[in-house]
Amino acid sequence: MTSLPSPPARRRRIAVAAAAAGLFASLLTAGPALAVPDPVTPQPAPEVASEPKEAAIEAAVARGELPEPGEIVHSDNISHLTTMPRTALTGTNTDIAFQGDHAFVGNYDGFVVYDISTPASPRVVSQVLCPGGQNDISVSGDLLFLSVDSSRSDDSCTSVSQPATEKSSWEGIRVFDISDKSHPRYVSAVETPCGSHTHTLVPGKKKIHVYVSSYFPRDVFPDCRPPHDGISIVEVPRTAPERAELVSFARLFPDGGYPGEEDRPDNVPTTGCHDITAYPALRLAAGACMGDGVLLDISRPERPRVIDRVQDRENFAFWHSATFSQNGRKVVFTDELGGGVGATCNERTGDEKGADGIYHIRGKGAKSRLDFVNYYKIPRHQADTENCVAHNGSLIPVRGRDVMVQSWYQGGISVWDFTDSRRPKEIGYFERGPESTERLTFGGTWSAYYYNGHIYSSDQNGFDVLRIDDRRTDGAKRVRMDELNVQTQPRYRR
């Protein structure tokens, strides 16, 4: 079932059904919405490889050092169960959320609901057409949230692109009712300054606080002017989501944050946050904020407070995301060098850039601090035509160990152990050969998460389902979750 939801009741409804149907058909046939990996805007045209570079890639394929284009390779402990190709929504696949026997996959054109009760045979329950990059997605109870960080003509699902220089343009958070997963219903929208690139839920019994991350303000944007050194906070009543509203803006960087440096052009100055992971049980959050990494006290969700802040000017270009260890005493930050469109998993770039940074949390409470320990990067060099860099991942909840599964775009999926932070190591992998040996093109897996015994990946080839069978991770199969938003990290084991 593919649906075009009605806009919120407070907005003008589309009165002529035929016009809506015509727009729906045109959106489905017009091709994907603009897919803009972060933080590059817009996505660059494919870069044609030089003849020597192309010859070198093809020679590496011939020697077996790289898989052939489209070829699937994986470690012995990983099984590829299935791939569900994209159908009606042909835009870029983005993040994933889970609830019960369902997976929700964001897409620049909307989102897809899958029944994963039989993981090896997922079934499409519904596909919702609602364009607006990047449609970062979360669920809580009967509610689903989408982030829109592309300037639209209004907040409806029939909106079209419109310049951010126009005051009437809209960006922000959309809220859907998913009590009937075969017919999600669009109930409200909240405009937020600079839109919503990603968001993080801090759920309560009666209301949900949504931390909205956005960045890149400009004086010519009426709704996104500098300074913008913080996050928007949206409050959503569970029983009245139509009353969702922007309640505050938390300025996390009163000094402006990392300013950037002329001699380090790859490093992106801080003008907001890219992503935040909350650990509500510990009343903590970790923020990946462009040029800064922060540790937050969220004991009062409506007033997050910075406890500590770190920078890595030498090796981190763009602080992208964060993952806590199970005990909350470590944080893995990712560096998205090149904005997700660069070939950075090669010998030339090295193993400390475009990588993960492992930090330990020393001290407690207001005296907590982040101490850097080591880097981790996939040990398999990729072709110079493959976009590859550290991206979204989650813990595999193994008792007594710190194990993570993670996406690396065309670098595929890495399962790695950081129990010994000074000696992190890969223990499993899955990847496809390059999309092209002739030119640098965008592709690969956006998010790879472990949920109830399986690994799910939002790859640009489709929705992948994998299984890992390894004595080091088998214990995680006994952990069952009713709901999982990776950016709202649960206490997997009690």
Side-chain angles (χ1 to χ4, degrees):
M1 175 261 181
T2 305
S3 62
L4 179 70
S6 300
R10 65 183 178 79
R11 286 280 185 177
R12 177 178 58 85
R13 294 186 178 275
I14 304 298
V16 183
L23 177 59
F24 174 67
S26 67
L27 283 171
L28 282 181
T29 58
L34 179 63
V36 185
D38 16 281
V40 178
T41 307
Q43 181 176 341
E47 175 186 323
V48 179
S50 65
E51 289 186 10
K53 184 181 290 186
E54 181 182 348
I57 293 170
E58 291 177 351
V61 171
R63 291 192 301 268
E65 297 170 4
L66 290 172
E68 296 182 1
E71 178 188 3
I72 289 176
V73 295
H74 53 81
S75 55
D76 291 342
N77 57 357
I78 300 285
S79 300
H80 177 220
L81 302 185
T82 192
T83 299
M84 293 286 289
R86 289 176 294 185
T87 54
L89 304 185
T90 57
T92 298
N93 281 334
T94 59
D95 212 6
I96 315 172
F98 302 92
Q99 188 179 83
D101 288 333
H102 293 88
F104 305 80
V105 180
N107 183 285
Y108 271 72
D109 288 342
F111 65 93
V112 182
V113 182
Y114 292 96
D115 181 329
I116 55 171
S117 54
T118 304
S121 301
R123 180 177 60 85
V124 174
V125 176
S126 57
Q127 300 185 74
V128 177
L129 179 68
C130 197
Q134 57 186 21
N135 277 336
D136 206 54
I137 194 165
S138 295
V139 295
S140 184
D142 287 338
L143 301 179
L144 178 147
F145 303 83
L146 289 181
S147 280
V148 179
D149 192 28
S150 63
S151 187
R152 314 296 299 177
S153 56
D154 57 50
D155 63 9
S156 74
C157 287
T158 56
S159 65
V160 296
S161 294
Q162 181 169 289
T165 52
E166 295 189 24
K167 177 63 178 172
S168 62
S169 295
W170 182 90
E171 301 175 80
I173 290 284
R174 290 170 172 153
V175 185
F176 288 75
D177 183 315
I178 54 168
S179 52
D180 180 354
K181 293 175 178 58
S182 63
H183 293 84
R185 183 172 59 89
Y186 185 11
V187 295
S188 65
V190 179
E191 186 171 12
T192 57
C194 297
S196 174
H197 194 75
T198 66
H199 67 266
T200 302
L201 305 186
V202 183
K205 290 183 179 179
K206 295 184 178 180
K207 56 190 176 183
I208 301 167
H209 286 96
V210 185
Y211 292 168
V212 178
S213 295
S214 55
Y215 49 89
F216 284 165
R218 290 180 59 188
D219 287 329
V220 295
F221 297 160
D223 300 318
C224 181
R225 289 190 172 124
H228 181 75
D229 300 313
I231 57 173
S232 299
I233 301 178
V234 170
E235 190 174 281
V236 185
R238 286 190 179 276
T239 58
E242 67 279 2
R243 297 210 304 265
E245 62 177 338
L246 176 66
V247 293
S248 65
F249 184 88
R251 195 171 183 200
L252 304 181
F253 305 100
D255 65 347
Y258 174 61
E261 300 169 77
E262 288 186 7
D263 59 344
R264 291 187 170 98
D266 288 336
N267 292 9
V268 182
T270 298
T271 58
C273 290
H274 177 275
D275 211 343
I276 291 172
T277 292
Y279 201 151
L282 299 181
R283 299 182 178 182
L284 291 175
C289 301
M290 306 179 74
D292 295 89
V294 296
L295 185 66
L296 301 170
D297 177 339
I298 59 168
S299 53
R300 299 178 66 183
E302 72 283 1
R303 292 186 180 180
R305 182 175 58 85
V306 175
I307 302 173
D308 194 26
R309 169 180 155 195
V310 290
Q311 296 175 352
D312 182 348
R313 301 185 178 198
E314 182 66 29
N315 288 314
F316 261 46
F318 187 84
W319 295 67
H320 176 275
S321 53
T323 302
F324 285 95
S325 60
Q326 291 187 71
N327 64 4
R329 301 305 296 170
K330 302 177 184 178
V331 182
V332 174
F333 287 103
T334 66
D335 170 29
E336 196 185 38
L337 171 68
V341 296
T344 71
C345 298
N346 49 33
E347 185 176 5
R348 181 177 63 259
T349 305
D351 57 6
E352 295 183 345
K353 296 180 184 294
D356 296 316
I358 306 168
Y359 286 74
H360 285 190
I361 300 176
R362 314 288 189 188
K364 293 184 179 180
K367 295 183 179 180
S368 298
R369 70 181 191 275
L370 292 163
D371 281 355
F372 171 77
V373 179
N374 207 351
Y375 298 104
Y376 169 77
K377 191 170 183 179
I378 57 173
R380 294 161 286 110
H381 286 158
Q382 304 296 304
D384 287 339
T385 56
E386 293 182 281
N387 65 306
C388 177
V389 75
H391 214 237
N392 294 340
S394 76
L395 290 185
I396 297 180
V398 184
R399 186 182 299 278
R401 301 196 70 81
D402 295 317
V403 181
M404 185 172 175
V405 58
Q406 184 176 9
S407 285
W408 291 77
Y409 285 114
Q410 285 193 67
I413 293 168
S414 178
V415 179
W416 61 288
D417 187 321
F418 62 105
T419 307
D420 182 348
S421 300
R422 297 190 180 280
R423 295 176 180 83
K425 60 182 179 180
E426 183 172 76
I427 63 173
Y429 70 90
F430 171 91
E431 67 168 296
R432 291 179 168 87
E435 295 289 326
S436 171
T437 59
E438 299 177 354
R439 62 189 66 236
L440 174 59
T441 57
F442 177 78
T445 171
W446 187 285
S447 296
Y449 298 147
Y450 185 93
Y451 178 71
N452 291 354
H454 291 80
I455 294 169
Y456 298 90
S457 164
S458 51
D459 194 277
Q460 304 320 309
N461 286 280
F463 181 54
D464 282 326
V465 184
L466 313 174
R467 188 181 69 239
I468 180 167
D469 296 292
D470 190 296
R471 61 178 177 76
R472 293 165 291 189
T473 62
D474 284 346
K477 296 177 182 179
R478 294 190 290 272
V479 177
R480 312 301 291 182
M481 309 293 298
D482 296 325
E483 189 172 274
L484 178 63
N485 300 296
V486 170
Q487 289 76 28
T488 305
Q489 194 165 317
R491 179 171 275 167
Y492 291 95
R493 293 177 177 273
R494 302 184 185 277

